[in-house]
Amino acid sequence: MDPNLLRPLARKAYGMSGADIERLIREARGKARREQRQLCWDDIERLLDAKRPNISKELRWRMAVHEAGHAIAHLILRASEIVLITIDHPQGGLVQVADEPLHARTETAMLHDIGVCLAGRTAEIEFLGVVSSGAGGSEDSDLAQATKIAVSMETEAGFGKVFPLLYRKANESTSLMFHLGLAEQVHARLQEGEQLATQVIRENREAVEVLAGELVQNLTLEGSHLTETVAELRKLVVVRPGA
């Protein structure tokens, strides 16, 4: 069986339990039986789509701009190999990169990681003027991931602006809630990352816009289409010294 047939369905079913999927298959099979025909992939895809909220054009464009910002930051700040970009995901959008060889976790590298995390939010601000809550909201969100990196820089990795040699195993929420000084240091790191992300988005506005347009039209970029798109983007992006 061609895995390319199953991959779009798997994305649409993300977050569903085995019982949820079993019920959906039974429903699709019953519909096909009533219509006196064989069950097909389209039956399952239509039911999956029907269970998802209808998204306005404005929100779809915002999602595309957000994920395009992440993707361009990945290309420039991490030189990542991107394997998937989608705005057709139950939790919103997603940029997936290939497993990469380990590199030294320098202060600059960690700051670049924060920049990548915040690039989606920054792209929203630059293109739409206002930011949505899409960068936050969960432990896996952009803001949460950026904060974890910033806390690690200040407490564990030896890059703290205050007491850099002092190792402190920190719980993000508890430490930041009760230690105002640490919260200020971590927020300063996040602002550094945000400034870096802003520079990247502004310097590569055309590339972000081109990629966002592709996402609105296709919803998901992967395989040869993604490879061709990334090749064209590399002709547009401005490579930062030291990135």
Side-chain angles (χ1 to χ4, degrees):
M1 180 182 294
D2 185 355
N4 290 325
L5 292 174
L6 293 177
R7 192 174 293 117
L9 295 181
R11 277 198 305 271
K12 292 175 184 293
Y14 183 86
M16 295 179 69
S17 68
D20 292 334
I21 294 173
E22 185 178 356
R23 283 193 295 270
L24 184 138
I25 296 297
R26 283 202 303 267
E27 184 179 346
R29 186 178 290 121
K31 183 177 186 296
R33 188 181 301 116
R34 289 191 297 274
E35 296 175 358
Q36 298 183 335
R37 58 177 177 78
Q38 293 292 319
L39 176 68
C40 64
W41 296 119
D42 286 346
D43 295 322
I44 301 172
E45 185 171 15
R46 280 194 290 268
L47 283 176
L48 285 169
D49 286 338
K51 294 181 182 300
R52 299 170 66 180
N54 186 30
I55 298 176
S56 68
K57 290 182 179 180
E58 292 78 9
L59 179 55
R60 196 173 298 281
W61 173 246
R62 181 178 291 276
M63 292 168 63
V65 166
H66 186 106
E67 298 308 325
H70 281 307
I72 296 302
H74 267 291
L75 291 177
I76 294 172
L77 297 178
R78 282 180 173 166
S80 301
E81 179 188 351
I82 299 174
V83 297
L84 172 75
I85 313 173
T86 184
I87 57 173
D88 187 29
H89 192 272
Q91 294 183 343
L94 174 70
V95 177
Q96 183 179 346
V97 299
D99 291 336
E100 299 173 346
L102 292 176
H103 298 286
R105 299 290 289 158
T106 63
E107 185 174 5
T108 297
M110 295 184 78
L111 182 62
H112 283 192
D113 288 345
I114 294 175
V116 171
C117 290
L118 298 181
R121 186 178 189 274
T122 298
E124 288 188 45
I125 295 172
E126 290 298 312
F127 278 81
L128 303 169
V130 294
V131 68
S132 70
S133 63
S138 75
E139 289 295 316
D140 296 324
S141 68
D142 299 337
L143 291 181
Q145 294 302 315
T147 299
K148 289 175 183 177
I149 297 168
V151 169
S152 178
M153 292 177 75
E154 290 298 320
T155 63
E156 300 173 346
F159 303 132
K161 299 294 186 183
V162 178
F163 305 134
L165 301 181
L166 180 63
Y167 174 88
R168 293 163 286 173
K169 183 64 178 177
N171 174 282
E172 292 86 22
S173 58
T174 303
S175 297
L176 299 181
M177 185 179 297
F178 294 105
H179 299 282
L180 181 58
L182 177 59
E184 291 175 344
Q185 294 154 26
V186 168
H187 194 259
R189 287 290 189 183
L190 294 172
Q191 288 178 315
E192 285 185 79
E194 183 183 49
Q195 290 170 3
L196 176 61
T198 298
Q199 291 172 359
V200 166
I201 298 303
R202 287 178 178 172
E203 291 170 354
N204 296 277
R205 188 178 180 89
E206 182 180 2
V208 173
E209 191 165 9
V210 167
L211 180 52
E214 285 287 324
L215 284 170
V216 167
Q217 182 174 351
N218 298 282
L219 302 185
T220 297
L221 299 176
E222 60 183 330
S224 59
H225 188 181
L226 175 61
T227 300
E228 294 168 3
T229 301
V230 170
E232 291 301 313
L233 291 174
R234 291 191 187 280
K235 298 175 183 178
L236 299 175
V237 297
V238 177
V239 179
R240 298 180 62 79

PDB file of all heavy atoms in Angstrom, residues 35-67:
ATOM      1  N   GLU A  35     -25.212   2.845   0.302  1.00  0.00           N
ATOM      2  CA  GLU A  35     -25.138   3.285  -1.093  1.00  0.00           C
ATOM      3  C   GLU A  35     -24.743   2.155  -2.026  1.00  0.00           C
ATOM      4  O   GLU A  35     -24.523   2.373  -3.218  1.00  0.00           O
ATOM      5  CB  GLU A  35     -24.153   4.453  -1.207  1.00  0.00           C
ATOM      6  CG  GLU A  35     -24.608   5.691  -0.436  1.00  0.00           C
ATOM      7  CD  GLU A  35     -23.572   6.811  -0.446  1.00  0.00           C
ATOM      8  OE1 GLU A  35     -22.480   6.617  -1.026  1.00  0.00           O
ATOM      9  OE2 GLU A  35     -23.870   7.886   0.110  1.00  0.00           O
ATOM     10  N   GLN A  36     -24.630   0.923  -1.451  1.00  0.00           N
ATOM     11  CA  GLN A  36     -24.353  -0.296  -2.206  1.00  0.00           C
ATOM     12  C   GLN A  36     -23.063  -0.196  -3.025  1.00  0.00           C
ATOM     13  O   GLN A  36     -23.027  -0.426  -4.229  1.00  0.00           O
ATOM     14  CB  GLN A  36     -25.541  -0.641  -3.123  1.00  0.00           C
ATOM     15  CG  GLN A  36     -26.829  -0.908  -2.366  1.00  0.00           C
ATOM     16  CD  GLN A  36     -27.965  -1.312  -3.270  1.00  0.00           C
ATOM     17  OE1 GLN A  36     -27.985  -0.984  -4.456  1.00  0.00           O
ATOM     18  NE2 GLN A  36     -28.929  -2.038  -2.718  1.00  0.00           N
ATOM     19  N   ARG A  37     -22.023   0.166  -2.333  1.00  0.00           N
ATOM     20  CA  ARG A  37     -20.700   0.260  -2.962  1.00  0.00           C
ATOM     21  C   ARG A  37     -19.631  -0.055  -1.937  1.00  0.00           C
ATOM     22  O   ARG A  37     -19.889  -0.213  -0.747  1.00  0.00           O
ATOM     23  CB  ARG A  37     -20.468   1.663  -3.540  1.00  0.00           C
ATOM     24  CG  ARG A  37     -20.573   2.767  -2.509  1.00  0.00           C
ATOM     25  CD  ARG A  37     -20.262   4.127  -3.095  1.00  0.00           C
ATOM     26  NE  ARG A  37     -20.422   5.198  -2.129  1.00  0.00           N
ATOM     27  CZ  ARG A  37     -19.521   5.491  -1.179  1.00  0.00           C
ATOM     28  NH1 ARG A  37     -18.391   4.794  -1.073  1.00  0.00           N
ATOM     29  NH2 ARG A  37     -19.746   6.483  -0.335  1.00  0.00           N
ATOM     30  N   GLN A  38     -18.390  -0.161  -2.405  1.00  0.00           N
ATOM     31  CA  GLN A  38     -17.258  -0.446  -1.535  1.00  0.00           C
ATOM     32  C   GLN A  38     -16.824   0.812  -0.775  1.00  0.00           C
ATOM     33  O   GLN A  38     -16.947   1.931  -1.280  1.00  0.00           O
ATOM     34  CB  GLN A  38     -16.071  -0.972  -2.360  1.00  0.00           C
ATOM     35  CG  GLN A  38     -16.303  -2.335  -3.004  1.00  0.00           C
ATOM     36  CD  GLN A  38     -16.383  -3.435  -1.964  1.00  0.00           C
ATOM     37  OE1 GLN A  38     -15.612  -3.459  -0.999  1.00  0.00           O
ATOM     38  NE2 GLN A  38     -17.338  -4.345  -2.155  1.00  0.00           N
ATOM     39  N   LEU A  39     -16.325   0.591   0.411  1.00  0.00           N
ATOM     40  CA  LEU A  39     -15.744   1.701   1.186  1.00  0.00           C
ATOM     41  C   LEU A  39     -14.501   2.211   0.472  1.00  0.00           C
ATOM     42  O   LEU A  39     -13.687   1.433  -0.039  1.00  0.00           O
ATOM     43  CB  LEU A  39     -15.360   1.201   2.588  1.00  0.00           C
ATOM     44  CG  LEU A  39     -14.657   2.196   3.520  1.00  0.00           C
ATOM     45  CD1 LEU A  39     -15.613   3.302   3.924  1.00  0.00           C
ATOM     46  CD2 LEU A  39     -14.119   1.465   4.750  1.00  0.00           C
ATOM     47  N   CYS A  40     -14.317   3.543   0.433  1.00  0.00           N
ATOM     48  CA  CYS A  40     -13.123   4.118  -0.199  1.00  0.00           C
ATOM     49  C   CYS A  40     -12.512   5.171   0.727  1.00  0.00           C
ATOM     50  O   CYS A  40     -13.120   5.598   1.705  1.00  0.00           O
ATOM     51  CB  CYS A  40     -13.459   4.731  -1.556  1.00  0.00           C
ATOM     52  SG  CYS A  40     -14.593   6.136  -1.493  1.00  0.00           S
ATOM     53  N   TRP A  41     -11.282   5.590   0.395  1.00  0.00           N
ATOM     54  CA  TRP A  41     -10.559   6.556   1.225  1.00  0.00           C
ATOM     55  C   TRP A  41     -11.321   7.864   1.346  1.00  0.00           C
ATOM     56  O   TRP A  41     -11.298   8.515   2.384  1.00  0.00           O
ATOM     57  CB  TRP A  41      -9.169   6.825   0.644  1.00  0.00           C
ATOM     58  CG  TRP A  41      -8.257   5.647   0.620  1.00  0.00           C
ATOM     59  CD1 TRP A  41      -7.685   5.063  -0.480  1.00  0.00           C
ATOM     60  CD2 TRP A  41      -7.791   4.884   1.741  1.00  0.00           C
ATOM     61  NE1 TRP A  41      -6.916   3.992  -0.118  1.00  0.00           N
ATOM     62  CE2 TRP A  41      -6.956   3.863   1.245  1.00  0.00           C
ATOM     63  CE3 TRP A  41      -8.020   4.961   3.110  1.00  0.00           C
ATOM     64  CZ2 TRP A  41      -6.332   2.933   2.064  1.00  0.00           C
ATOM     65  CZ3 TRP A  41      -7.407   4.038   3.945  1.00  0.00           C
ATOM     66  CH2 TRP A  41      -6.578   3.051   3.424  1.00  0.00           C
ATOM     67  N   ASP A  42     -12.000   8.255   0.260  1.00  0.00           N
ATOM     68  CA  ASP A  42     -12.727   9.528   0.279  1.00  0.00           C
ATOM     69  C   ASP A  42     -13.820   9.540   1.348  1.00  0.00           C
ATOM     70  O   ASP A  42     -14.108  10.586   1.938  1.00  0.00           O
ATOM     71  CB  ASP A  42     -13.351   9.805  -1.097  1.00  0.00           C
ATOM     72  CG  ASP A  42     -12.320  10.230  -2.128  1.00  0.00           C
ATOM     73  OD1 ASP A  42     -11.190  10.572  -1.712  1.00  0.00           O
ATOM     74  OD2 ASP A  42     -12.635  10.197  -3.326  1.00  0.00           O
ATOM     75  N   ASP A  43     -14.431   8.373   1.599  1.00  0.00           N
ATOM     76  CA  ASP A  43     -15.459   8.299   2.636  1.00  0.00           C
ATOM     77  C   ASP A  43     -14.889   8.683   3.988  1.00  0.00           C
ATOM     78  O   ASP A  43     -15.491   9.438   4.754  1.00  0.00           O
ATOM     79  CB  ASP A  43     -16.032   6.876   2.716  1.00  0.00           C
ATOM     80  CG  ASP A  43     -16.773   6.470   1.461  1.00  0.00           C
ATOM     81  OD1 ASP A  43     -17.455   7.332   0.884  1.00  0.00           O
ATOM     82  OD2 ASP A  43     -16.668   5.303   1.069  1.00  0.00           O
ATOM     83  N   ILE A  44     -13.713   8.130   4.285  1.00  0.00           N
ATOM     84  CA  ILE A  44     -13.078   8.394   5.574  1.00  0.00           C
ATOM     85  C   ILE A  44     -12.626   9.844   5.656  1.00  0.00           C
ATOM     86  O   ILE A  44     -12.813  10.518   6.678  1.00  0.00           O
ATOM     87  CB  ILE A  44     -11.883   7.442   5.771  1.00  0.00           C
ATOM     88  CG1 ILE A  44     -12.358   5.988   5.724  1.00  0.00           C
ATOM     89  CG2 ILE A  44     -11.160   7.731   7.088  1.00  0.00           C
ATOM     90  CD1 ILE A  44     -11.246   4.970   5.712  1.00  0.00           C
ATOM     91  N   GLU A  45     -12.052  10.345   4.567  1.00  0.00           N
ATOM     92  CA  GLU A  45     -11.554  11.721   4.567  1.00  0.00           C
ATOM     93  C   GLU A  45     -12.693  12.720   4.746  1.00  0.00           C
ATOM     94  O   GLU A  45     -12.568  13.687   5.497  1.00  0.00           O
ATOM     95  CB  GLU A  45     -10.808  12.015   3.265  1.00  0.00           C
ATOM     96  CG  GLU A  45     -10.154  13.382   3.239  1.00  0.00           C
ATOM     97  CD  GLU A  45      -9.248  13.568   2.044  1.00  0.00           C
ATOM     98  OE1 GLU A  45      -9.326  12.772   1.094  1.00  0.00           O
ATOM     99  OE2 GLU A  45      -8.445  14.516   2.065  1.00  0.00           O
ATOM    100  N   ARG A  46     -13.830  12.464   4.099  1.00  0.00           N
ATOM    101  CA  ARG A  46     -14.967  13.378   4.234  1.00  0.00           C
ATOM    102  C   ARG A  46     -15.491  13.406   5.663  1.00  0.00           C
ATOM    103  O   ARG A  46     -15.844  14.462   6.193  1.00  0.00           O
ATOM    104  CB  ARG A  46     -16.077  12.983   3.248  1.00  0.00           C
ATOM    105  CG  ARG A  46     -15.848  13.465   1.824  1.00  0.00           C
ATOM    106  CD  ARG A  46     -17.121  13.343   1.006  1.00  0.00           C
ATOM    107  NE  ARG A  46     -17.457  11.950   0.754  1.00  0.00           N
ATOM    108  CZ  ARG A  46     -17.063  11.266  -0.315  1.00  0.00           C
ATOM    109  NH1 ARG A  46     -16.294  11.850  -1.228  1.00  0.00           N
ATOM    110  NH2 ARG A  46     -17.424  10.013  -0.475  1.00  0.00           N
ATOM    111  N   LEU A  47     -15.543  12.247   6.305  1.00  0.00           N
ATOM    112  CA  LEU A  47     -16.010  12.208   7.689  1.00  0.00           C
ATOM    113  C   LEU A  47     -15.033  12.910   8.622  1.00  0.00           C
ATOM    114  O   LEU A  47     -15.436  13.610   9.557  1.00  0.00           O
ATOM    115  CB  LEU A  47     -16.211  10.760   8.129  1.00  0.00           C
ATOM    116  CG  LEU A  47     -17.485  10.080   7.622  1.00  0.00           C
ATOM    117  CD1 LEU A  47     -17.518   8.621   8.050  1.00  0.00           C
ATOM    118  CD2 LEU A  47     -18.729  10.805   8.117  1.00  0.00           C
ATOM    119  N   LEU A  48     -13.730  12.725   8.391  1.00  0.00           N
ATOM    120  CA  LEU A  48     -12.729  13.420   9.205  1.00  0.00           C
ATOM    121  C   LEU A  48     -12.856  14.927   9.039  1.00  0.00           C
ATOM    122  O   LEU A  48     -12.797  15.678  10.015  1.00  0.00           O
ATOM    123  CB  LEU A  48     -11.323  12.960   8.814  1.00  0.00           C
ATOM    124  CG  LEU A  48     -10.907  11.570   9.290  1.00  0.00           C
ATOM    125  CD1 LEU A  48      -9.614  11.137   8.602  1.00  0.00           C
ATOM    126  CD2 LEU A  48     -10.730  11.540  10.800  1.00  0.00           C
ATOM    127  N   ASP A  49     -13.049  15.374   7.793  1.00  0.00           N
ATOM    128  CA  ASP A  49     -13.196  16.812   7.537  1.00  0.00           C
ATOM    129  C   ASP A  49     -14.457  17.365   8.191  1.00  0.00           C
ATOM    130  O   ASP A  49     -14.473  18.490   8.701  1.00  0.00           O
ATOM    131  CB  ASP A  49     -13.243  17.074   6.028  1.00  0.00           C
ATOM    132  CG  ASP A  49     -11.883  16.930   5.362  1.00  0.00           C
ATOM    133  OD1 ASP A  49     -10.863  17.046   6.075  1.00  0.00           O
ATOM    134  OD2 ASP A  49     -11.841  16.681   4.147  1.00  0.00           O
ATOM    135  N   ALA A  50     -15.537  16.549   8.187  1.00  0.00           N
ATOM    136  CA  ALA A  50     -16.803  17.007   8.747  1.00  0.00           C
ATOM    137  C   ALA A  50     -16.726  17.209  10.253  1.00  0.00           C
ATOM    138  O   ALA A  50     -17.491  17.991  10.822  1.00  0.00           O
ATOM    139  CB  ALA A  50     -17.906  16.009   8.419  1.00  0.00           C
ATOM    140  N   LYS A  51     -15.801  16.531  10.897  1.00  0.00           N
ATOM    141  CA  LYS A  51     -15.675  16.625  12.353  1.00  0.00           C
ATOM    142  C   LYS A  51     -14.740  17.755  12.775  1.00  0.00           C
ATOM    143  O   LYS A  51     -14.513  17.963  13.958  1.00  0.00           O
ATOM    144  CB  LYS A  51     -15.172  15.291  12.919  1.00  0.00           C
ATOM    145  CG  LYS A  51     -16.174  14.156  12.740  1.00  0.00           C
ATOM    146  CD  LYS A  51     -15.671  12.859  13.323  1.00  0.00           C
ATOM    147  CE  LYS A  51     -16.673  11.726  13.086  1.00  0.00           C
ATOM    148  NZ  LYS A  51     -17.983  11.984  13.703  1.00  0.00           N
ATOM    149  N   ARG A  52     -14.196  18.468  11.801  1.00  0.00           N
ATOM    150  CA  ARG A  52     -13.293  19.565  12.119  1.00  0.00           C
ATOM    151  C   ARG A  52     -13.988  20.896  11.886  1.00  0.00           C
ATOM    152  O   ARG A  52     -14.887  21.006  11.037  1.00  0.00           O
ATOM    153  CB  ARG A  52     -12.020  19.457  11.266  1.00  0.00           C
ATOM    154  CG  ARG A  52     -11.261  18.167  11.540  1.00  0.00           C
ATOM    155  CD  ARG A  52     -10.163  17.931  10.563  1.00  0.00           C
ATOM    156  NE  ARG A  52      -9.123  18.937  10.684  1.00  0.00           N
ATOM    157  CZ  ARG A  52      -8.034  18.949   9.912  1.00  0.00           C
ATOM    158  NH1 ARG A  52      -7.870  18.048   8.993  1.00  0.00           N
ATOM    159  NH2 ARG A  52      -7.121  19.878  10.079  1.00  0.00           N
ATOM    160  N   PRO A  53     -13.593  21.929  12.619  1.00  0.00           N
ATOM    161  CA  PRO A  53     -14.268  23.225  12.483  1.00  0.00           C
ATOM    162  C   PRO A  53     -14.010  23.865  11.126  1.00  0.00           C
ATOM    163  O   PRO A  53     -12.951  23.659  10.516  1.00  0.00           O
ATOM    164  CB  PRO A  53     -13.641  24.063  13.610  1.00  0.00           C
ATOM    165  CG  PRO A  53     -12.315  23.419  13.868  1.00  0.00           C
ATOM    166  CD  PRO A  53     -12.513  21.957  13.622  1.00  0.00           C
ATOM    167  N   ASN A  54     -14.986  24.626  10.660  1.00  0.00           N
ATOM    168  CA  ASN A  54     -14.830  25.370   9.422  1.00  0.00           C
ATOM    169  C   ASN A  54     -13.953  26.594   9.688  1.00  0.00           C
ATOM    170  O   ASN A  54     -14.199  27.356  10.626  1.00  0.00           O
ATOM    171  CB  ASN A  54     -16.208  25.809   8.906  1.00  0.00           C
ATOM    172  CG  ASN A  54     -16.129  26.455   7.550  1.00  0.00           C
ATOM    173  OD1 ASN A  54     -15.248  26.132   6.748  1.00  0.00           O
ATOM    174  ND2 ASN A  54     -17.045  27.362   7.274  1.00  0.00           N
ATOM    175  N   ILE A  55     -12.933  26.762   8.895  1.00  0.00           N
ATOM    176  CA  ILE A  55     -11.950  27.829   9.120  1.00  0.00           C
ATOM    177  C   ILE A  55     -12.158  28.946   8.100  1.00  0.00           C
ATOM    178  O   ILE A  55     -12.250  28.684   6.895  1.00  0.00           O
ATOM    179  CB  ILE A  55     -10.508  27.286   9.018  1.00  0.00           C
ATOM    180  CG1 ILE A  55     -10.273  26.232  10.107  1.00  0.00           C
ATOM    181  CG2 ILE A  55      -9.489  28.403   9.130  1.00  0.00           C
ATOM    182  CD1 ILE A  55      -8.917  25.562  10.022  1.00  0.00           C
ATOM    183  N   SER A  56     -12.215  30.172   8.567  1.00  0.00           N
ATOM    184  CA  SER A  56     -12.401  31.317   7.678  1.00  0.00           C
ATOM    185  C   SER A  56     -11.144  31.558   6.850  1.00  0.00           C
ATOM    186  O   SER A  56     -10.048  31.107   7.189  1.00  0.00           O
ATOM    187  CB  SER A  56     -12.717  32.570   8.494  1.00  0.00           C
ATOM    188  OG  SER A  56     -11.577  32.960   9.261  1.00  0.00           O
ATOM    189  N   LYS A  57     -11.311  32.300   5.751  1.00  0.00           N
ATOM    190  CA  LYS A  57     -10.171  32.648   4.907  1.00  0.00           C
ATOM    191  C   LYS A  57      -9.148  33.460   5.687  1.00  0.00           C
ATOM    192  O   LYS A  57      -7.937  33.294   5.519  1.00  0.00           O
ATOM    193  CB  LYS A  57     -10.642  33.429   3.685  1.00  0.00           C
ATOM    194  CG  LYS A  57     -11.435  32.609   2.690  1.00  0.00           C
ATOM    195  CD  LYS A  57     -11.821  33.449   1.484  1.00  0.00           C
ATOM    196  CE  LYS A  57     -12.602  32.618   0.476  1.00  0.00           C
ATOM    197  NZ  LYS A  57     -12.994  33.436  -0.713  1.00  0.00           N
ATOM    198  N   GLU A  58      -9.644  34.342   6.549  1.00  0.00           N
ATOM    199  CA  GLU A  58      -8.746  35.191   7.322  1.00  0.00           C
ATOM    200  C   GLU A  58      -7.889  34.362   8.278  1.00  0.00           C
ATOM    201  O   GLU A  58      -6.681  34.582   8.397  1.00  0.00           O
ATOM    202  CB  GLU A  58      -9.548  36.226   8.116  1.00  0.00           C
ATOM    203  CG  GLU A  58     -10.238  37.287   7.275  1.00  0.00           C
ATOM    204  CD  GLU A  58     -11.512  36.787   6.605  1.00  0.00           C
ATOM    205  OE1 GLU A  58     -11.964  35.663   6.930  1.00  0.00           O
ATOM    206  OE2 GLU A  58     -12.050  37.523   5.751  1.00  0.00           O
ATOM    207  N   LEU A  59      -8.526  33.397   8.953  1.00  0.00           N
ATOM    208  CA  LEU A  59      -7.769  32.551   9.872  1.00  0.00           C
ATOM    209  C   LEU A  59      -6.800  31.650   9.124  1.00  0.00           C
ATOM    210  O   LEU A  59      -5.676  31.429   9.577  1.00  0.00           O
ATOM    211  CB  LEU A  59      -8.719  31.698  10.719  1.00  0.00           C
ATOM    212  CG  LEU A  59      -8.045  30.731  11.716  1.00  0.00           C
ATOM    213  CD1 LEU A  59      -7.092  31.485  12.642  1.00  0.00           C
ATOM    214  CD2 LEU A  59      -9.086  29.976  12.517  1.00  0.00           C
ATOM    215  N   ARG A  60      -7.203  31.142   7.959  1.00  0.00           N
ATOM    216  CA  ARG A  60      -6.307  30.288   7.172  1.00  0.00           C
ATOM    217  C   ARG A  60      -5.063  31.062   6.735  1.00  0.00           C
ATOM    218  O   ARG A  60      -3.948  30.536   6.755  1.00  0.00           O
ATOM    219  CB  ARG A  60      -7.050  29.724   5.957  1.00  0.00           C
ATOM    220  CG  ARG A  60      -6.323  28.546   5.315  1.00  0.00           C
ATOM    221  CD  ARG A  60      -7.174  27.907   4.234  1.00  0.00           C
ATOM    222  NE  ARG A  60      -8.418  27.363   4.728  1.00  0.00           N
ATOM    223  CZ  ARG A  60      -8.514  26.204   5.347  1.00  0.00           C
ATOM    224  NH1 ARG A  60      -7.440  25.468   5.565  1.00  0.00           N
ATOM    225  NH2 ARG A  60      -9.698  25.767   5.754  1.00  0.00           N
ATOM    226  N   TRP A  61      -5.260  32.323   6.340  1.00  0.00           N
ATOM    227  CA  TRP A  61      -4.113  33.140   5.946  1.00  0.00           C
ATOM    228  C   TRP A  61      -3.206  33.399   7.150  1.00  0.00           C
ATOM    229  O   TRP A  61      -1.988  33.329   7.047  1.00  0.00           O
ATOM    230  CB  TRP A  61      -4.579  34.452   5.330  1.00  0.00           C
ATOM    231  CG  TRP A  61      -3.471  35.423   5.038  1.00  0.00           C
ATOM    232  CD1 TRP A  61      -3.264  36.636   5.622  1.00  0.00           C
ATOM    233  CD2 TRP A  61      -2.408  35.249   4.095  1.00  0.00           C
ATOM    234  NE1 TRP A  61      -2.143  37.234   5.110  1.00  0.00           N
ATOM    235  CE2 TRP A  61      -1.592  36.415   4.168  1.00  0.00           C
ATOM    236  CE3 TRP A  61      -2.063  34.246   3.204  1.00  0.00           C
ATOM    237  CZ2 TRP A  61      -0.452  36.584   3.383  1.00  0.00           C
ATOM    238  CZ3 TRP A  61      -0.920  34.402   2.412  1.00  0.00           C
ATOM    239  CH2 TRP A  61      -0.132  35.557   2.496  1.00  0.00           C
ATOM    240  N   ARG A  62      -3.789  33.658   8.307  1.00  0.00           N
ATOM    241  CA  ARG A  62      -2.984  33.873   9.517  1.00  0.00           C
ATOM    242  C   ARG A  62      -2.174  32.622   9.841  1.00  0.00           C
ATOM    243  O   ARG A  62      -0.992  32.708  10.178  1.00  0.00           O
ATOM    244  CB  ARG A  62      -3.894  34.243  10.696  1.00  0.00           C
ATOM    245  CG  ARG A  62      -3.126  34.498  12.000  1.00  0.00           C
ATOM    246  CD  ARG A  62      -4.066  34.899  13.134  1.00  0.00           C
ATOM    247  NE  ARG A  62      -4.637  36.210  12.927  1.00  0.00           N
ATOM    248  CZ  ARG A  62      -4.040  37.345  13.263  1.00  0.00           C
ATOM    249  NH1 ARG A  62      -2.838  37.329  13.835  1.00  0.00           N
ATOM    250  NH2 ARG A  62      -4.634  38.508  13.041  1.00  0.00           N
ATOM    251  N   MET A  63      -2.807  31.458   9.754  1.00  0.00           N
ATOM    252  CA  MET A  63      -2.105  30.210  10.018  1.00  0.00           C
ATOM    253  C   MET A  63      -0.955  30.013   9.029  1.00  0.00           C
ATOM    254  O   MET A  63       0.138  29.572   9.404  1.00  0.00           O
ATOM    255  CB  MET A  63      -3.075  29.027   9.934  1.00  0.00           C
ATOM    256  CG  MET A  63      -4.103  28.987  11.044  1.00  0.00           C
ATOM    257  SD  MET A  63      -5.429  27.783  10.721  1.00  0.00           S
ATOM    258  CE  MET A  63      -4.467  26.255  10.708  1.00  0.00           C
ATOM    259  N   ALA A  64      -1.208  30.345   7.767  1.00  0.00           N
ATOM    260  CA  ALA A  64      -0.181  30.185   6.736  1.00  0.00           C
ATOM    261  C   ALA A  64       0.999  31.118   6.988  1.00  0.00           C
ATOM    262  O   ALA A  64       2.169  30.713   6.859  1.00  0.00           O
ATOM    263  CB  ALA A  64      -0.786  30.452   5.357  1.00  0.00           C
ATOM    264  N   VAL A  65       0.708  32.362   7.357  1.00  0.00           N
ATOM    265  CA  VAL A  65       1.773  33.320   7.666  1.00  0.00           C
ATOM    266  C   VAL A  65       2.585  32.837   8.870  1.00  0.00           C
ATOM    267  O   VAL A  65       3.822  32.900   8.880  1.00  0.00           O
ATOM    268  CB  VAL A  65       1.168  34.719   7.938  1.00  0.00           C
ATOM    269  CG1 VAL A  65       2.194  35.641   8.589  1.00  0.00           C
ATOM    270  CG2 VAL A  65       0.657  35.328   6.638  1.00  0.00           C
ATOM    271  N   HIS A  66       1.881  32.338   9.882  1.00  0.00           N
ATOM    272  CA  HIS A  66       2.541  31.854  11.107  1.00  0.00           C
ATOM    273  C   HIS A  66       3.503  30.716  10.794  1.00  0.00           C
ATOM    274  O   HIS A  66       4.685  30.755  11.183  1.00  0.00           O
ATOM    275  CB  HIS A  66       1.462  31.383  12.086  1.00  0.00           C
ATOM    276  CG  HIS A  66       1.989  30.998  13.430  1.00  0.00           C
ATOM    277  ND1 HIS A  66       1.830  31.781  14.550  1.00  0.00           N
ATOM    278  CD2 HIS A  66       2.678  29.898  13.854  1.00  0.00           C
ATOM    279  CE1 HIS A  66       2.391  31.187  15.593  1.00  0.00           C
ATOM    280  NE2 HIS A  66       2.908  30.036  15.185  1.00  0.00           N
ATOM    281  N   GLU A  67       3.032  29.706  10.067  1.00  0.00           N
ATOM    282  CA  GLU A  67       3.893  28.554   9.780  1.00  0.00           C
ATOM    283  C   GLU A  67       5.001  28.907   8.788  1.00  0.00           C
ATOM    284  O   GLU A  67       6.105  28.370   8.867  1.00  0.00           O
ATOM    285  CB  GLU A  67       3.054  27.388   9.250  1.00  0.00           C
ATOM    286  CG  GLU A  67       2.017  26.875  10.225  1.00  0.00           C
ATOM    287  CD  GLU A  67       2.591  26.553  11.600  1.00  0.00           C
ATOM    288  OE1 GLU A  67       3.749  26.081  11.684  1.00  0.00           O
ATOM    289  OE2 GLU A  67       1.881  26.777  12.603  1.00  0.00           O
TER     290      GLU A  67
END
